[in-house]
Amino acid sequence: MDIQGLGYIGVRAKSLEDWTGFGTRFLGMQLVDKSAKSLALRMDDRKQRVVVSEDGGEGVGFFGWEVKDATALDAVAAKIEQAGVMVARGARGLADERRVKDMIVLTDPLGNRLEIFHGAETASDAFKPGRSISGFRTGPLGMGHVVLHVNNINDAVPFYRDVLGFRLSDYMLRPFNAYFFHANPRHHSIAFIETGRSATHHLMVELYNLDDVGQCYDLALGEEGRIGVTLGRHINDEVTSFYSNSPSGFMVEYGWGGRVIDVDHWQTEEVTWGPSMWGHDRMWMTPEKRVESRAIRVAAAATGLRKPVNVIDGNYNLMPGVCPWWDGVARGEAAE
């Protein structure tokens, strides 16, 4: 694949101070640079992952997608130009500002500014979170994923699939059209939901420890209007998460336990039960729609829909002992 993952994002803001508190004391990122009109946040060994500009706007100003090297960058630029999309080489000053070796800039069919780059700078000092967390799961999986509202799903899919080379993970047609694409073993790095408008729906970041998510949820419960979607677990990427309303009009999904996929042998399928196995009440919905969505999840649970959690070395303990009942469940045997 041409694109390796989501490298950074640029956020438009009305208040830099709102983002200083939200990014550090709430999300747990590290403030590394701040001027009168901008700030930068770290999540890991990269010098920056989130760049916030106080320009009076809201939403995401640009998405930074990473490729392997200069050769890959040139190949992607040529492929985009062959598709009839204008590409500009990023100025040296802009590349320095983004902390990368080289980059190209373009606008996708939805009107989003894309910056494709290689050679992100790493810091010499260790990441210091803004509050006590175990850390963010990034590395070869990228910084997380983004989900975009679209007027029509076909406005986005051909470009991201056929030109940029993202691969379809799965899709759903109910309760709305949604298509999920991967660029690496993370289940999806970008997704599109057909809602009749064009904007960023959310940015997802993943933590190493489930307690990080729960402790942030406690913080969110203490702020009026901070929770956009309650705690729950997704069906397709199997993340346990909640969504917070950011100061810039989009949500940030704070999650744990995302699945990784075998990109060479992955089989695309339709997700028929909607996005979540449990939880994830969408607070912006009408009470009637929330009841309807909850009924879908209850019906899914009644079919026996269950999935193991996805753990990595160091964030779980295997309990000792045996349990005949659970052993039977694991073998697929029906309870008597």
Side-chain angles (χ1 to χ4, degrees):
M1 288 179 286
D2 300 321
I3 304 294
Q4 292 186 317
L6 182 64
Y8 59 79
I9 68 165
V11 176
R12 303 182 64 197
K14 296 177 180 178
S15 168
L16 217 56
E17 289 308 312
D18 288 347
W19 259 98
T20 300
F22 180 74
T24 59
R25 294 188 297 275
F26 185 77
L27 298 179
M29 297 181 185
Q30 178 184 353
L31 180 65
V32 289
D33 191 21
K34 186 177 181 182
S35 65
K37 291 295 181 180
S38 68
L39 63 84
L41 298 163
R42 276 181 66 183
M43 294 174 60
D44 53 13
D45 62 342
R46 295 284 177 91
K47 284 193 173 180
Q48 60 186 27
R49 288 287 196 177
V50 179
V51 179
V52 183
S53 299
E54 187 180 275
D55 62 1
E58 63 178 16
V60 175
F62 53 84
F63 299 93
W65 294 101
E66 186 167 8
V67 296
K68 182 179 179 180
D69 52 28
T71 301
L73 185 64
D74 290 341
V76 170
K79 191 174 180 181
I80 295 170
E81 287 180 330
Q82 288 169 4
V85 177
M86 186 178 297
V87 176
R89 183 69 62 169
R92 182 68 260 159
L94 179 61
D96 290 343
E97 186 178 320
R98 299 289 192 261
R99 307 287 193 174
V100 300
K101 286 184 178 178
D102 199 6
M103 61 190 294
I104 59 173
V105 180
L106 62 139
T107 301
D108 75 1
L110 306 172
N112 297 304
R113 176 185 170 100
L114 307 186
E115 300 180 355
I116 303 176
F117 72 92
H118 80 92
E121 296 180 13
T122 57
S124 57
D125 56 324
F127 168 64
K128 297 178 181 178
R131 64 178 178 84
S132 180
I133 59 171
S134 63
F136 295 97
R137 190 181 184 196
T138 57
L141 301 179
M143 69 175 286
H145 73 235
V146 291
V147 175
L148 305 180
H149 293 280
V150 294
N151 289 307
N152 186 297
I153 208 74
N154 291 318
D155 294 339
V157 168
F159 177 77
Y160 278 85
R161 179 192 60 204
D162 303 332
V163 179
L164 294 186
F166 287 89
R167 297 181 186 177
L168 183 63
S169 299
D170 49 40
Y171 63 96
M172 62 183 67
L173 305 177
R174 174 177 176 264
F176 43 73
N177 281 350
Y179 283 70
F180 302 82
F181 290 86
H182 60 270
N184 56 54
R186 189 185 291 279
H187 176 271
H188 59 278
S189 290
I190 192 166
F192 307 95
I193 55 175
E194 190 177 74
T195 59
R197 65 191 185 98
S198 183
T200 298
H201 182 273
H202 73 265
L203 163 72
M204 178 269 192
V205 294
E206 185 177 355
L207 286 297
Y208 280 118
N209 197 294
L210 178 59
D211 289 338
D212 294 326
V213 176
Q215 289 163 359
C216 192
Y217 196 58
D218 275 345
L219 294 176
L221 288 169
E223 297 183 45
E224 184 71 28
R226 181 62 74 194
I227 294 175
V229 179
T230 63
L231 190 68
R233 191 176 186 216
H234 285 303
I235 286 178
N236 58 355
D237 70 359
E238 301 175 4
V239 166
T240 299
S241 64
F242 76 96
Y243 295 59
S244 61
N245 292 311
S246 81
S248 292
F250 62 90
M251 293 184 293
V252 176
E253 181 183 6
Y254 209 71
W256 171 85
R259 72 191 299 188
V260 294
I261 64 176
D262 182 346
V263 297
D264 294 323
H265 301 96
W266 181 254
Q267 297 295 314
T268 300
E269 62 182 7
E270 180 184 351
V271 179
T272 57
W273 279 114
S276 302
M277 290 188 285
W278 56 268
H280 282 159
D281 261 9
R282 284 140 178 89
M283 305 305 288
W284 67 85
M285 284 183 172
T286 64
E288 293 78 15
K289 281 292 184 182
R290 290 173 64 188
V291 169
E292 180 182 339
S293 296
R294 197 174 303 126
I296 294 174
R297 298 194 298 271
V298 170
T303 68
L305 179 63
R306 308 287 189 278
K307 295 189 178 183
V309 294
N310 303 296
V311 297
I312 58 177
D313 285 341
N315 75 353
Y316 73 98
N317 291 318
L318 184 63
M319 292 187 290
V322 295
C323 177
W325 174 83
W326 176 249
D327 291 343
V329 171
R331 290 193 298 267
E333 298 173 1
E336 295 183 358

Short mmCIF file of all heavy atoms in Angstrom, two decimals, residues 139-175:
data_model
loop_
_atom_site.label_atom_id
_atom_site.label_comp_id
_atom_site.label_asym_id
_atom_site.label_seq_id
_atom_site.Cartn_x
_atom_site.Cartn_y
_atom_site.Cartn_z
N GLY A 139 3.07 3.83 16.66
CA GLY A 139 4.06 3.05 15.92
C GLY A 139 3.61 2.73 14.51
O GLY A 139 3.11 3.60 13.78
N PRO A 140 3.75 1.47 14.08
CA PRO A 140 3.37 1.09 12.71
C PRO A 140 1.88 1.19 12.44
O PRO A 140 1.45 1.11 11.28
CB PRO A 140 3.85 -0.36 12.59
CG PRO A 140 3.91 -0.86 14.00
CD PRO A 140 4.32 0.33 14.82
N LEU A 141 1.06 1.39 13.48
CA LEU A 141 -0.38 1.53 13.30
C LEU A 141 -0.79 2.97 13.03
O LEU A 141 -1.98 3.25 12.79
CB LEU A 141 -1.13 1.02 14.54
CG LEU A 141 -0.89 -0.44 14.92
CD1 LEU A 141 -1.67 -0.79 16.19
CD2 LEU A 141 -1.25 -1.38 13.79
N GLY A 142 0.16 3.91 13.06
CA GLY A 142 -0.18 5.31 12.91
C GLY A 142 -0.74 5.88 14.21
O GLY A 142 -0.84 5.18 15.22
N MET A 143 -1.13 7.14 14.19
CA MET A 143 -1.58 7.79 15.43
C MET A 143 -3.01 7.42 15.81
O MET A 143 -3.46 7.74 16.90
CB MET A 143 -1.45 9.31 15.33
CG MET A 143 -2.43 9.97 14.36
SD MET A 143 -2.34 11.79 14.39
CE MET A 143 -3.15 12.16 15.95
N GLY A 144 -3.73 6.74 14.93
CA GLY A 144 -5.11 6.38 15.21
C GLY A 144 -5.90 6.32 13.92
O GLY A 144 -5.36 5.93 12.87
N HIS A 145 -7.17 6.69 13.97
CA HIS A 145 -7.95 6.76 12.74
C HIS A 145 -8.84 7.99 12.75
O HIS A 145 -9.07 8.61 13.79
CB HIS A 145 -8.78 5.48 12.52
CG HIS A 145 -9.97 5.30 13.41
ND1 HIS A 145 -10.16 4.18 14.19
CD2 HIS A 145 -11.08 6.06 13.65
CE1 HIS A 145 -11.31 4.27 14.85
NE2 HIS A 145 -11.88 5.41 14.54
N VAL A 146 -9.34 8.33 11.55
CA VAL A 146 -10.28 9.44 11.41
C VAL A 146 -11.52 8.93 10.69
O VAL A 146 -11.44 8.03 9.84
CB VAL A 146 -9.69 10.64 10.65
CG1 VAL A 146 -8.62 11.32 11.47
CG2 VAL A 146 -9.15 10.22 9.29
N VAL A 147 -12.67 9.49 11.04
CA VAL A 147 -13.93 9.18 10.37
C VAL A 147 -14.52 10.50 9.89
O VAL A 147 -14.59 11.47 10.65
CB VAL A 147 -14.90 8.44 11.31
CG1 VAL A 147 -16.25 8.24 10.63
CG2 VAL A 147 -14.31 7.09 11.74
N LEU A 148 -14.94 10.52 8.63
CA LEU A 148 -15.43 11.74 8.00
C LEU A 148 -16.89 11.61 7.60
O LEU A 148 -17.31 10.57 7.08
CB LEU A 148 -14.60 12.05 6.74
CG LEU A 148 -13.08 12.17 6.91
CD1 LEU A 148 -12.44 12.49 5.57
CD2 LEU A 148 -12.73 13.22 7.95
N HIS A 149 -17.66 12.66 7.86
CA HIS A 149 -18.99 12.79 7.29
C HIS A 149 -18.84 13.03 5.78
O HIS A 149 -17.96 13.78 5.34
CB HIS A 149 -19.72 14.02 7.85
CG HIS A 149 -20.06 13.95 9.30
ND1 HIS A 149 -21.15 13.26 9.78
CD2 HIS A 149 -19.47 14.53 10.39
CE1 HIS A 149 -21.23 13.40 11.09
NE2 HIS A 149 -20.22 14.16 11.48
N VAL A 150 -19.75 12.44 4.97
CA VAL A 150 -19.77 12.74 3.54
C VAL A 150 -21.23 12.90 3.10
O VAL A 150 -22.14 12.28 3.66
CB VAL A 150 -19.09 11.64 2.70
CG1 VAL A 150 -17.60 11.60 2.99
CG2 VAL A 150 -19.72 10.27 2.94
N ASN A 151 -21.43 13.74 2.08
CA ASN A 151 -22.76 13.88 1.50
C ASN A 151 -23.19 12.60 0.81
O ASN A 151 -24.33 12.15 0.96
CB ASN A 151 -22.76 15.04 0.50
CG ASN A 151 -22.67 16.39 1.18
OD1 ASN A 151 -23.45 16.70 2.08
ND2 ASN A 151 -21.69 17.19 0.79
N ASN A 152 -22.27 12.04 0.04
CA ASN A 152 -22.52 10.80 -0.69
C ASN A 152 -21.28 9.93 -0.58
O ASN A 152 -20.16 10.42 -0.78
CB ASN A 152 -22.84 11.11 -2.15
CG ASN A 152 -23.25 9.87 -2.93
OD1 ASN A 152 -22.48 8.94 -3.10
ND2 ASN A 152 -24.49 9.87 -3.42
N ILE A 153 -21.44 8.67 -0.27
CA ILE A 153 -20.30 7.80 -0.04
C ILE A 153 -19.40 7.70 -1.27
O ILE A 153 -18.18 7.56 -1.16
CB ILE A 153 -20.78 6.38 0.41
CG1 ILE A 153 -19.72 5.71 1.30
CG2 ILE A 153 -21.15 5.51 -0.77
CD1 ILE A 153 -19.63 6.27 2.69
N ASN A 154 -19.99 7.84 -2.45
CA ASN A 154 -19.21 7.74 -3.69
C ASN A 154 -18.40 9.00 -3.98
O ASN A 154 -17.59 9.01 -4.92
CB ASN A 154 -20.13 7.43 -4.87
CG ASN A 154 -20.70 6.03 -4.78
OD1 ASN A 154 -19.99 5.08 -4.44
ND2 ASN A 154 -21.99 5.88 -5.05
N ASP A 155 -18.61 10.05 -3.20
CA ASP A 155 -17.75 11.22 -3.31
C ASP A 155 -16.34 10.93 -2.80
O ASP A 155 -15.38 11.60 -3.19
CB ASP A 155 -18.33 12.40 -2.51
CG ASP A 155 -19.64 12.90 -3.07
OD1 ASP A 155 -19.92 12.65 -4.26
OD2 ASP A 155 -20.39 13.54 -2.31
N ALA A 156 -16.22 9.95 -1.91
CA ALA A 156 -14.94 9.69 -1.24
C ALA A 156 -14.30 8.37 -1.64
O ALA A 156 -13.08 8.30 -1.84
CB ALA A 156 -15.16 9.70 0.28
N VAL A 157 -15.09 7.30 -1.74
CA VAL A 157 -14.53 5.96 -1.88
C VAL A 157 -13.62 5.78 -3.09
O VAL A 157 -12.51 5.26 -2.95
CB VAL A 157 -15.66 4.91 -1.88
CG1 VAL A 157 -15.14 3.54 -2.32
CG2 VAL A 157 -16.27 4.81 -0.48
N PRO A 158 -14.01 6.19 -4.31
CA PRO A 158 -13.11 5.95 -5.45
C PRO A 158 -11.74 6.58 -5.29
O PRO A 158 -10.72 5.97 -5.65
CB PRO A 158 -13.89 6.57 -6.63
CG PRO A 158 -15.32 6.51 -6.21
CD PRO A 158 -15.29 6.79 -4.73
N PHE A 159 -11.68 7.80 -4.75
CA PHE A 159 -10.39 8.48 -4.60
C PHE A 159 -9.51 7.79 -3.57
O PHE A 159 -8.33 7.50 -3.82
CB PHE A 159 -10.60 9.95 -4.22
CG PHE A 159 -9.32 10.70 -3.99
CD1 PHE A 159 -8.55 11.13 -5.05
CD2 PHE A 159 -8.88 10.97 -2.69
CE1 PHE A 159 -7.35 11.82 -4.84
CE2 PHE A 159 -7.70 11.66 -2.47
CZ PHE A 159 -6.92 12.08 -3.54
N TYR A 160 -10.06 7.52 -2.41
CA TYR A 160 -9.25 6.94 -1.35
C TYR A 160 -8.87 5.48 -1.64
O TYR A 160 -7.78 5.04 -1.28
CB TYR A 160 -9.98 7.06 -0.01
CG TYR A 160 -9.80 8.43 0.62
CD1 TYR A 160 -10.64 9.49 0.27
CD2 TYR A 160 -8.77 8.69 1.51
CE1 TYR A 160 -10.47 10.75 0.82
CE2 TYR A 160 -8.58 9.93 2.06
CZ TYR A 160 -9.43 10.97 1.71
OH TYR A 160 -9.24 12.22 2.25
N ARG A 161 -9.75 4.76 -2.33
CA ARG A 161 -9.46 3.36 -2.65
C ARG A 161 -8.57 3.23 -3.88
O ARG A 161 -7.53 2.55 -3.84
CB ARG A 161 -10.78 2.62 -2.88
CG ARG A 161 -10.64 1.14 -3.24
CD ARG A 161 -11.97 0.60 -3.73
NE ARG A 161 -12.43 1.34 -4.92
CZ ARG A 161 -13.71 1.41 -5.29
NH1 ARG A 161 -14.66 0.83 -4.58
NH2 ARG A 161 -14.05 2.09 -6.38
N ASP A 162 -8.95 3.88 -4.97
CA ASP A 162 -8.29 3.64 -6.25
C ASP A 162 -7.06 4.51 -6.48
O ASP A 162 -6.14 4.12 -7.20
CB ASP A 162 -9.28 3.85 -7.40
CG ASP A 162 -10.52 2.97 -7.28
OD1 ASP A 162 -10.41 1.88 -6.68
OD2 ASP A 162 -11.59 3.39 -7.76
N VAL A 163 -7.06 5.70 -5.87
CA VAL A 163 -5.93 6.61 -6.09
C VAL A 163 -4.92 6.53 -4.94
O VAL A 163 -3.72 6.32 -5.16
CB VAL A 163 -6.43 8.06 -6.28
CG1 VAL A 163 -5.25 9.02 -6.47
CG2 VAL A 163 -7.39 8.14 -7.47
N LEU A 164 -5.39 6.67 -3.71
CA LEU A 164 -4.48 6.64 -2.57
C LEU A 164 -4.14 5.22 -2.12
O LEU A 164 -3.17 5.02 -1.39
CB LEU A 164 -5.06 7.43 -1.40
CG LEU A 164 -5.19 8.95 -1.61
CD1 LEU A 164 -5.63 9.63 -0.32
CD2 LEU A 164 -3.91 9.57 -2.14
N GLY A 165 -4.93 4.23 -2.52
CA GLY A 165 -4.57 2.85 -2.25
C GLY A 165 -5.05 2.28 -0.93
O GLY A 165 -4.57 1.21 -0.52
N PHE A 166 -5.98 2.95 -0.24
CA PHE A 166 -6.55 2.36 0.96
C PHE A 166 -7.37 1.13 0.58
O PHE A 166 -7.99 1.08 -0.48
CB PHE A 166 -7.45 3.37 1.69
CG PHE A 166 -6.71 4.47 2.38
CD1 PHE A 166 -6.38 5.65 1.72
CD2 PHE A 166 -6.34 4.32 3.72
CE1 PHE A 166 -5.70 6.66 2.37
CE2 PHE A 166 -5.66 5.34 4.38
CZ PHE A 166 -5.33 6.50 3.70
N ARG A 167 -7.39 0.14 1.48
CA ARG A 167 -8.12 -1.11 1.22
C ARG A 167 -9.35 -1.20 2.12
O ARG A 167 -9.28 -0.87 3.31
CB ARG A 167 -7.21 -2.32 1.47
CG ARG A 167 -6.00 -2.38 0.54
CD ARG A 167 -5.18 -3.61 0.83
NE ARG A 167 -3.93 -3.65 0.06
CZ ARG A 167 -3.01 -4.60 0.18
NH1 ARG A 167 -3.21 -5.60 1.04
NH2 ARG A 167 -1.91 -4.56 -0.55
N LEU A 168 -10.43 -1.68 1.53
CA LEU A 168 -11.68 -1.78 2.27
C LEU A 168 -11.61 -2.88 3.32
O LEU A 168 -11.27 -4.03 3.02
CB LEU A 168 -12.83 -2.07 1.30
CG LEU A 168 -14.24 -2.14 1.89
CD1 LEU A 168 -14.64 -0.80 2.49
CD2 LEU A 168 -15.24 -2.57 0.83
N SER A 169 -11.91 -2.51 4.58
CA SER A 169 -11.96 -3.49 5.66
C SER A 169 -13.35 -4.11 5.74
O SER A 169 -13.51 -5.32 5.71
CB SER A 169 -11.60 -2.83 7.00
OG SER A 169 -10.30 -2.31 6.97
N ASP A 170 -14.36 -3.28 5.89
CA ASP A 170 -15.75 -3.74 5.88
C ASP A 170 -16.65 -2.53 5.69
O ASP A 170 -16.18 -1.40 5.55
CB ASP A 170 -16.11 -4.54 7.14
CG ASP A 170 -15.70 -3.85 8.43
OD1 ASP A 170 -15.86 -2.62 8.51
OD2 ASP A 170 -15.24 -4.54 9.35
N TYR A 171 -17.94 -2.79 5.68
CA TYR A 171 -18.89 -1.71 5.43
C TYR A 171 -20.21 -2.07 6.10
O TYR A 171 -20.48 -3.22 6.45
CB TYR A 171 -19.10 -1.50 3.93
CG TYR A 171 -19.70 -2.69 3.22
CD1 TYR A 171 -21.07 -2.77 2.98
CD2 TYR A 171 -18.89 -3.74 2.79
CE1 TYR A 171 -21.63 -3.86 2.34
CE2 TYR A 171 -19.44 -4.84 2.15
CZ TYR A 171 -20.79 -4.90 1.93
OH TYR A 171 -21.35 -6.00 1.31
N MET A 172 -21.05 -1.05 6.29
CA MET A 172 -22.39 -1.28 6.81
C MET A 172 -23.38 -0.41 6.04
O MET A 172 -23.03 0.70 5.59
CB MET A 172 -22.47 -1.01 8.32
CG MET A 172 -22.17 0.39 8.76
SD MET A 172 -22.20 0.57 10.58
CE MET A 172 -20.80 -0.43 11.06
N LEU A 173 -24.57 -0.92 5.86
CA LEU A 173 -25.63 -0.21 5.15
C LEU A 173 -26.77 0.18 6.08
O LEU A 173 -27.70 0.87 5.67
CB LEU A 173 -26.18 -1.10 4.03
CG LEU A 173 -25.13 -1.63 3.04
CD1 LEU A 173 -25.78 -2.55 2.01
CD2 LEU A 173 -24.41 -0.47 2.35
N ARG A 174 -26.66 -0.25 7.35
CA ARG A 174 -27.71 0.00 8.34
C ARG A 174 -27.06 0.25 9.70
O ARG A 174 -26.17 -0.52 10.07
CB ARG A 174 -28.63 -1.24 8.39
CG ARG A 174 -29.69 -1.25 9.46
CD ARG A 174 -30.53 -2.52 9.30
NE ARG A 174 -31.54 -2.66 10.35
CZ ARG A 174 -31.35 -3.38 11.46
NH1 ARG A 174 -30.21 -4.01 11.68
NH2 ARG A 174 -32.31 -3.47 12.37
N PRO A 175 -27.37 1.30 10.41
CA PRO A 175 -28.44 2.28 10.18
C PRO A 175 -28.06 3.40 9.21
O PRO A 175 -28.86 4.29 8.97
CB PRO A 175 -28.68 2.84 11.58
CG PRO A 175 -27.34 2.75 12.24
CD PRO A 175 -26.71 1.50 11.71
#
